[in-house]
């Protein structure tokens, strides 16, 4: 399988005790984003070229950080929850601070898992 399929398979494991985040950062390419439409719709299943199907689990999230949606089809845009944040309005520091405050302390649990 390809790089994305390998990451997808690793992160979508019901045995994981924590939430996995897949962050896709870069321009939207019309070809590969169309292949993710089954992930973005209600099915939440990645279908590979060899017809293998890898379902998205409840403990996995996917985020796309893109500069623009010029190459995204209306179908892709309608499936994604889109948030526009201007860099001049909000930097990364408040987002990181908010995330750290809300995050539970997992350090004790990780020692037990080893």
């Amino acid at each position: 399988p390809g790089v994305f399929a390998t990451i997808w398979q690793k992160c979508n494991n019901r045995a994981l005790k924590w939430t996995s985040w897949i962050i896709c950062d870069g321009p939207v390419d019309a070809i590969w984003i169309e292949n993710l439409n089954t992930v973005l719709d209600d099915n939440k299943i990645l279908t590979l070229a060899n017809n293998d199907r890898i379902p998205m689990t409840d403990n996995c999230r996917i985020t796309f950080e893109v500069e623009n949606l010029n190459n995204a089809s209306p179908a892709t845009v309608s499936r994604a929850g889109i948030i526009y944040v201007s860099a001049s309005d909000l930097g990364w520091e408040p987002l990181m601070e908010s995330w750290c405050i809300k995050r539970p302390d997992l350090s004790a649990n990780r020692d037990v898992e080893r």
Side-chain angles (χ1 to χ4, degrees), residues 31-66:
I31 296 169
W32 68 257
I33 197 68
E34 290 300 321
N35 292 331
L36 293 180
N37 277 344
T38 57
V39 170
L40 300 175
D41 68 13
D42 292 338
N43 295 325
K44 296 183 180 177
I45 296 174
L46 178 64
T47 305
L48 304 178
N50 64 1
N51 283 333
D52 283 352
R53 297 165 54 93
I54 307 170
M56 184 177 190
T57 59
D58 292 337
N59 61 334
C60 185
R61 304 288 183 266
I62 185 168
T63 301
F64 299 93
E65 184 177 343
V66 299

Side-chain angles (χ1 to χ4, degrees), residues 42-108:
D42 292 338
N43 295 325
K44 296 183 180 177
I45 296 174
L46 178 64
T47 305
L48 304 178
N50 64 1
N51 283 333
D52 283 352
R53 297 165 54 93
I54 307 170
M56 184 177 190
T57 59
D58 292 337
N59 61 334
C60 185
R61 304 288 183 266
I62 185 168
T63 301
F64 299 93
E65 184 177 343
V66 299
E67 185 176 337
N68 60 56
L69 296 172
N70 292 346
N71 295 322
S73 71
T76 300
V77 173
S78 70
R79 287 178 169 92
I82 299 175
I83 301 170
Y84 175 76
V85 179
S86 172
S88 63
D89 293 336
L90 181 65
W92 63 270
E93 294 94 344
L95 295 173
M96 180 61 104
E97 184 179 327
S98 172
W99 180 75
C100 288
I101 289 170
K102 293 177 188 174
R103 188 164 180 195
D105 182 17
L106 299 176
S107 59

